[in-house]
């Protein structure tokens, strides 16, 4: 008959008390304890310690529980997790060539999470026009409204064509309560400076009420400055700005293709929309005469503003003298009253002399903690110019034209540090002196290819082009042809061009996989 | 059990139920590991976001849902402790007295509990974790081994060491103010215990 010694029992006592011994071992331990007062004494001490431990821990948590708002907070976080990446939509909304927008805004696919930073001089115009343009759809526009828009376009074109430093300050208001948000900053000020000659920029976003800096970014030609909040959307805690070296020699030309393309595109979109109607001419308190144009609410406003059965209007305000678009708002009809849901107002839009001193490195902004980030781990590095050979090393699904068309120049740009990404993102832009372009960019169709329609073209190499409806830009800008291209190996990419359809098809014959 | 028919991303109501059912598991574990209510609140949010993001990774065949939740919570808390170098239960005696319920006539029990909490605070991080999982949540050793992804023998070794160390702290003379047992190797810790 086996038995256990004191040393063996001692080692097993805690497990015995925790009922974590096999039945056979349990019997042996109990047999030993029956005849050993010392071990019984030790066991009692350990049992008391176990009991005290459990009681102490239970007591410690007896009075605490998660706060009632925990679920609401989590819901807000998860709602942001579920929100589609904005970049997935920009393929179809943005103008095709980044240079056409004079912006480092980048077009992505897959799950690449990169915040796009729109820094073009017509930043306000893009925001305002995007809000307007998406839902203007209906009846014949009155002649006077058309004229106003024509003149506004001309004013914007003249402003953008100037050199110097473009400075824009806007005020944004969001009626969070009406949209069902429980907290957040309602009124913000956005202040941007862009050097039109080279694209260096600074952008600071503050709480209009308190002046607290909410977001900031900049590029001074040597360093990129990026802010990362500790949690997405959280505005408490130190404001950290990461500084990463990025030479302007490597960065894709931020200001290439400047001119009247961008404002023309945005204004043309509005000009063509028949839903605009002239409402009134007013004089503001500051003596400024303005035209106020009103249009019916956009489609999809319910979802966009999180308001069920949305009914309201969009209101655009133009300076009567300069025809500059100075304000855009969305109002909601509620209980017989008009409630402002969102509004963007331009406070300043000026072009300063190039020699104007500007703190491109944000050193004048209060309350910022600057941290060096030499490897760019926390920064949204600007796209850099790469060669076709470099493109081939980064991806096995990149396509370029076999030959650069006569009269065109090629620039390929891609965000650096894409090693961890599922898909490699790039834009290959062939541009002529006359500002025609043919762009090849990574991307996928937003829906199944079969749903894109039957307007297709197949090249000799087996590429199938699915043409999308031509984006008509009006009399002052070139129409843009876009197509999703599907390769035999399953790769998809996008081409867009100001060239005629026949020219696009001809060039498509020259598309090859880079190796 | 999470199946495709009630995947949290497709069925928000299911995730709400998941949260309601297991928020205390996460919250109280986090409080015990991080020592502060604010930290526990943050951990609650972070852990459930992690759960939401990684729910596809949960395999019911590999363990219970609670095991998986415990693992995420413990790993998160350990990471936070190391990142922020948090002290366990930095409360002083007054705060402890406020937070621990007791009968007014039984000051002895209160003192005993305070002493125990201080003693737990002197254990190494790895011993504290097994103490919490075993003596707060009453989890079997095998499940603790699954949560911490360590061998069963290591769990047993640590629990044994933890209880004997606590006993020693509470019954023996207090010679140092720092941790009695440093975070050495489990073998080293066992040797020290055997020779004490």
């Amino acid at each position: 008959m086996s038995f256990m010694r004191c040393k063996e029992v001692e080692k097993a006592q805690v497990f015995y008390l925790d009922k974590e011994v096999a039945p056979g071992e349990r019997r042996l331990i109990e047999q030993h304890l029956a005849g050993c007062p010392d071990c019984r004494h030790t066991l009692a001490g350990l049992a008391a310690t176990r009991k005290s431990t459990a009681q102490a821990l239970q007591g410690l948590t007896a009075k605490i529980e998660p706060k009632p708002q925990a679920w609401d907070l989590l819901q807000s976080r998860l709602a942001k997790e579920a929100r589609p990446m904005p970049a997935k939509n920009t393929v179809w909304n943005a103008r095709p060539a980044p240079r056409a927008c004079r912006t480092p805004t980048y077009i992505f696919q897959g799950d690449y999470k990169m915040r796009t930073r729109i820094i073009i001089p017509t930043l306000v115009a893009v925001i305002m026009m995007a809000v307007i343009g998406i839902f203007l759809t209906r009846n014949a526009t009155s002649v006077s409204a058309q004229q106003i828009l024509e003149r506004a376009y001309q004013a914007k074109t003249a402003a953008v064509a100037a050199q110097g430093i473009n400075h824009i300050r806007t005020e944004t208001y969001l009626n969070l309560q009406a949209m069902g948000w429980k907290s957040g900053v309602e009124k913000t000020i956005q202040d941007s400076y862009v050097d039109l000659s080279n694209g260096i920029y600074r952008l600071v976003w503050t709480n209009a009420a308190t002046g607290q800096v909410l977001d900031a970014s900049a590029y001074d030609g040597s360093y990129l400055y990026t802010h990362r909040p500790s949690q997405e959307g959280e505005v408490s805690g130190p404001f950290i700005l990461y500084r990463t070296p990025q030479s302007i020699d490597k960065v894709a030309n931020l200001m290439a293709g400047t001119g009247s393309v961008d404002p023309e595109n945005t204004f043309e979109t509005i000009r063509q929309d028949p839903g605009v109607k002239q409402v009134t001419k007013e004089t503001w308190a500051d003596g400024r005469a303005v035209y106020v144009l009103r249009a019916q609410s956009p489609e999809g406003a319910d979802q966009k503003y999180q308001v069920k059965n949305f009914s309201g209007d969009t209101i655009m305000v133009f300076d009567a003298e300069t025809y500059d678009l100075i304000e855009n708002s969305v109002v909601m009809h509620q209980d017989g009253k008009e409630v402002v849901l969102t509004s963007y107002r331009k406070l300043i839009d000026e072009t300063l002399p190039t020699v104007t001193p500007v703190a491109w490195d944000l050193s004048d902004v209060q309350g910022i903690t600057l941290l060096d980030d030499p490897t760019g781990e926390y920064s949204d590095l600007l796209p850099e110019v790469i060669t076709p050979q470099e493109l081939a090393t980064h991806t096995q699904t990149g396509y370029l034209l076999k030959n650069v068309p006569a009269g065109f120049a090629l620039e390929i740009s891609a965000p650096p540090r894409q090693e961890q990404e599922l898909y490699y993102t790039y834009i290959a832009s062939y541009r002529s002196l006359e500002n025609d372009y043919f762009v090849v960019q990574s991307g996928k169709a937003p829906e199944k290819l079969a749903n894109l329609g039957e307007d297709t073209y197949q090249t000799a190499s087996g590429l199938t082009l699915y043409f999308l409806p031509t984006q008509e830009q009006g009399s002052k800008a070139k129409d843009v042809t876009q197509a999703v291209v599907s390769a035999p190996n399953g790769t998809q990419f996008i081409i867009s061009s100001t060239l005629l359809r026949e020219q696009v098809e001809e060039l498509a014959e020259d598309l090859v996989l880079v190796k | 059990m999470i199946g495709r028919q009630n995947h949290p991303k497709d069925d928000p109501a299911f995730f709400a139920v998941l949260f309601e059912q297991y928020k205390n598991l996460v919250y109280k574990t986090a409080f015990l590991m991080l020592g502060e209510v604010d930290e526990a609140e943050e951990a609650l949010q972070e852990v459930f976001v992690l759960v939401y993001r990684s729910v596809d990774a949960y395999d019911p065949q590999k363990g219970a849902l609670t095991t998986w939740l415990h693992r995420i919570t413990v790993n998160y808390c350990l990471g936070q402790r190391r990142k922020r170098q948090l002290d366990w239960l930095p409360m002083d005696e007054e705060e402890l007295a406020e937070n621990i319920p007791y009968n007014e006539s039984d000051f002895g029990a209160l003192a005993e509990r305070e002493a125990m909490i201080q003693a737990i605070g002197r254990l190494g991080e790895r011993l504290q974790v097994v103490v919490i999982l075993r003596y707060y949540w009453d989890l079997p050793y095998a499940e603790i081994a699954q949560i911490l992804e360590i061998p069963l023998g290591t769990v047993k070794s640590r629990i044994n060491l933890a209880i004997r160390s606590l006993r020693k702290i509470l019954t023996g003379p207090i010679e140092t103010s720092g941790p009695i047992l440093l975070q050495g190797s489990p073998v080293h810790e066992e040797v020290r215990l055997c020779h004490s």
Side-chain angles (χ1 to χ4, degrees):
Chain A
M1 182 175 162
S2 59
F3 61 94
M4 292 178 80
R5 296 194 181 86
C6 287
K7 225 173 170 72
E8 291 166 319
V9 171
E10 186 190 336
K11 283 185 182 177
Q13 279 177 335
V14 174
F15 313 140
Y16 169 79
L17 289 166
D18 283 350
K19 298 188 172 58
E20 291 275 354
V21 295
E25 192 179 357
R26 171 167 286 278
R27 276 195 300 274
L28 287 172
I29 292 170
E30 286 169 350
Q31 197 175 55
H32 177 93
L33 289 172
C36 181
D38 287 342
C39 282
R40 285 203 301 273
H41 177 74
T42 307
L43 189 75
L46 291 172
T49 303
R50 278 177 74 256
K51 189 176 172 185
S52 299
T53 303
Q55 285 176 340
L57 292 174
Q58 292 293 340
L60 209 49
T61 59
K63 286 185 178 180
I64 61 146
E65 59 182 18
K67 56 187 179 190
Q69 312 93 297
W71 173 242
D72 289 339
L73 283 170
L74 182 65
Q75 269 193 302
S76 301
R77 290 272 311 268
L78 296 181
K80 290 170 190 170
E81 293 275 322
R83 191 177 299 159
M85 290 298 120
K88 283 183 185 172
N89 296 321
T90 62
V91 171
W92 310 106
N93 293 338
R95 294 297 168 259
R99 247 71 76 227
C101 295
R102 288 171 291 148
T103 172
T105 300
Y106 224 83
I107 298 170
F108 300 120
Q109 64 184 13
D111 296 327
Y112 193 82
K113 273 188 199 181
M114 179 159 157
R115 295 184 297 173
T116 58
R117 297 197 179 278
I118 301 174
I119 52 92
I120 57 174
T122 52
L123 165 66
V124 171
V126 168
I127 291 172
M128 291 192 181
M129 298 310 166
V131 172
I132 299 167
I134 57 173
F135 53 72
L136 302 181
T137 53
R138 290 158 297 277
N139 310 316
T141 307
S142 68
V143 172
S144 57
Q146 285 276 32
Q147 285 174 335
I148 290 166
L149 288 171
E150 289 266 12
R151 291 174 193 175
Y153 149 72
Q154 286 164 10
K156 179 48 64 183
T157 303
V160 169
Q163 288 298 298
I165 296 172
N166 190 226
H167 172 217
I168 297 176
R169 181 178 295 162
T170 59
E171 180 187 84
T172 304
Y173 168 72
L174 298 174
N175 189 338
L176 299 175
Q177 192 182 6
M179 290 188 206
W181 288 85
K182 290 181 184 173
S183 63
V185 179
E186 286 203 324
K187 209 179 253 193
T188 58
I189 301 286
Q190 188 163 318
D191 212 39
S192 73
Y193 291 82
V194 179
D195 187 324
L196 298 171
S197 64
N198 55 26
I200 63 175
Y201 65 90
R202 62 173 267 160
L203 177 65
V204 179
W205 192 31
T206 54
N207 182 327
T210 64
Q212 179 193 11
V213 178
L214 301 172
D215 198 359
S217 66
Y219 179 60
D220 64 7
S222 299
Y223 291 93
L224 185 69
Y225 300 84
T226 310
H227 168 61
R228 288 267 185 234
S230 53
Q231 286 184 4
E232 194 67 36
E234 195 177 272
V235 295
S236 61
F239 187 95
I240 304 217
L241 199 65
Y242 293 98
R243 180 173 68 179
T244 302
Q246 194 173 19
S247 167
I248 200 166
D249 297 329
K250 278 190 186 177
V251 170
N253 191 342
L254 299 172
M255 300 308 295
T258 56
S260 60
V261 175
D262 189 64
E264 186 172 349
N265 286 343
T266 50
F267 274 94
E268 286 297 326
T269 302
I270 301 168
R271 288 183 64 204
Q272 288 175 36
D273 196 287
V276 176
K277 55 190 181 195
Q278 182 180 0
V279 176
T280 56
K281 183 175 180 179
E282 302 173 3
T283 302
W284 278 2
D286 61 1
R288 195 162 35 162
V290 298
Y291 286 112
V292 181
L293 272 66
R294 191 177 275 259
Q296 282 187 319
S297 58
E299 279 181 31
D302 294 36
Q303 204 169 9
K304 185 181 175 74
Y305 300 114
Q306 298 287 300
V307 177
K308 284 185 184 172
N309 304 317
F310 180 87
S311 168
D313 293 334
T314 292
I315 302 172
M316 297 166 280
V317 180
F318 294 87
D319 185 304
E321 198 172 302
T322 64
Y323 293 94
D324 194 21
L325 181 67
I326 54 178
E327 185 174 321
N328 171 49
S329 53
V330 173
V331 296
M332 184 170 68
H333 303 139
Q334 195 176 59
D335 302 326
K337 294 183 218 166
E338 218 167 62
V339 175
V340 176
L341 212 56
T342 72
S343 90
Y344 302 97
R345 176 185 288 208
K346 195 191 312 184
L347 305 176
I348 297 172
D349 186 356
E350 60 185 356
T351 301
L352 305 167
T354 309
V355 296
T356 305
V358 175
W360 300 108
D361 60 359
L362 302 174
S363 54
D364 60 327
V365 180
Q366 301 293 316
I368 278 181
T369 301
L370 187 66
L371 293 179
D372 276 312
D373 176 30
T375 59
E377 186 181 343
Y378 299 100
S379 303
D380 294 337
L381 294 172
L382 298 172
E384 294 180 348
V385 177
I386 60 172
T387 63
Q389 293 74 25
E390 285 171 324
L391 180 64
T393 60
H394 287 307
T395 178
Q396 295 177 340
T397 56
Y399 276 81
L400 292 175
L401 294 173
K402 196 171 174 188
N403 302 294
V404 178
F408 283 72
L410 168 64
E411 183 181 272
I412 310 171
S413 55
R417 291 171 52 107
Q418 293 193 54
E419 296 82 14
Q420 305 300 321
E421 303 305 324
L422 287 176
Y423 308 104
Y424 186 77
T425 300
Y426 69 94
I427 293 181
S429 179
Y430 300 84
R431 185 174 288 278
S432 74
L433 288 173
E434 294 81 29
N435 255 346
D436 272 315
Y437 58 79
F438 180 89
V439 168
V440 179
Q441 65 193 54
S442 54
K444 284 193 171 189
E447 52 188 309
K448 290 183 183 170
L449 291 173
N451 295 344
L452 293 178
E454 295 177 356
D455 185 8
T456 62
Y457 175 82
Q458 187 153 46
T459 68
S461 62
L463 298 175
T464 305
L465 278 65
Y466 294 81
F467 283 96
L468 304 170
T470 300
Q471 294 184 5
E472 294 175 8
Q473 307 300 312
S475 58
K476 294 206 167 30
K478 301 177 184 182
D479 294 346
V480 177
T481 301
Q482 281 188 307
V484 175
V485 183
S486 176
N489 63 5
T491 301
Q492 286 184 22
F493 57 94
I494 295 145
I495 56 176
S496 45
S497 177
T498 53
L499 300 173
L500 297 173
R501 165 83 175 247
E502 300 73 40
Q503 292 171 297
V504 170
E505 290 174 356
E506 193 181 327
L507 282 177
E509 293 288 350
D510 208 34
L511 284 166
V512 292
L513 190 63
V514 289
K515 289 177 187 172
Chain B
M1 180 180 293
I2 296 174
R4 292 310 309 180
Q5 69 280 7
N6 52 8
H7 195 287
K9 288 182 181 171
D10 302 321
D11 185 354
F14 175 76
F15 197 74
V17 169
L18 193 77
F19 179 81
E20 192 54 38
Q21 196 164 347
Y22 297 111
K23 64 183 181 186
N24 281 321
L25 180 157
V26 175
Y27 185 79
K28 296 196 176 186
T29 301
F31 176 76
L32 290 171
M33 286 190 67
L34 300 175
E36 293 183 33
V37 163
D38 288 346
E39 297 286 347
E41 293 286 358
E42 187 180 331
L44 180 63
Q45 297 290 315
E46 292 299 323
V47 165
F48 270 95
V49 170
L50 287 170
V51 167
Y52 183 83
R53 284 180 190 160
S54 59
V55 70
D56 285 332
Y58 170 63
D59 182 355
Q61 294 193 354
K62 288 187 179 171
L65 181 60
T66 49
T67 306
W68 184 65
L69 287 169
H70 271 300
R71 184 182 306 132
I72 296 176
T73 307
V74 167
N75 286 341
Y76 171 82
C77 293
L78 286 175
Q80 287 300 110
R81 283 180 64 148
R82 285 160 199 166
K83 195 161 60 167
R84 302 193 201 183
Q85 296 176 334
L86 291 172
D87 288 328
W88 191 79
L89 287 180
M91 289 187 254
D92 57 27
E93 282 178 14
E94 242 178 71
E95 286 169 312
L96 278 174
E98 272 177 29
N99 281 282
I100 301 173
Y102 65 96
N103 291 323
E104 284 189 4
S105 58
D106 195 354
F107 288 105
L110 172 63
E112 191 182 308
R113 286 195 189 178
E114 287 177 5
M116 174 55 78
I117 287 162
Q118 302 280 10
I120 295 172
R122 292 176 67 186
L123 295 178
E125 176 183 275
R126 282 182 289 187
L127 300 188
Q128 284 174 5
V129 172
V130 294
V131 163
I132 290 167
L133 293 176
R134 180 70 187 97
Y135 298 108
Y136 182 75
W137 292 114
D138 209 23
L139 297 179
Y141 289 4
E143 188 170 346
I144 296 174
Q146 272 192 303
I147 290 167
L148 301 178
E149 296 178 297
I150 56 178
L152 180 62
T154 307
V155 173
K156 292 174 80 167
S157 167
R158 289 183 188 178
I159 287 176
N160 197 20
L161 200 58
I163 292 297
R164 290 180 185 278
S165 302
L166 288 172
R167 175 137 192 84
K168 193 163 180 178
I169 294 167
L170 291 168
T171 59
I174 297 173
E175 292 170 357
T176 67
S177 59
I180 291 290
L181 296 167
L182 300 177
Q183 290 184 21
S185 69
V187 172
H188 174 71
E189 287 167 347
E190 282 209 53
V191 168
R192 284 189 61 169
L193 179 66
C194 289
H195 288 278
S196 62

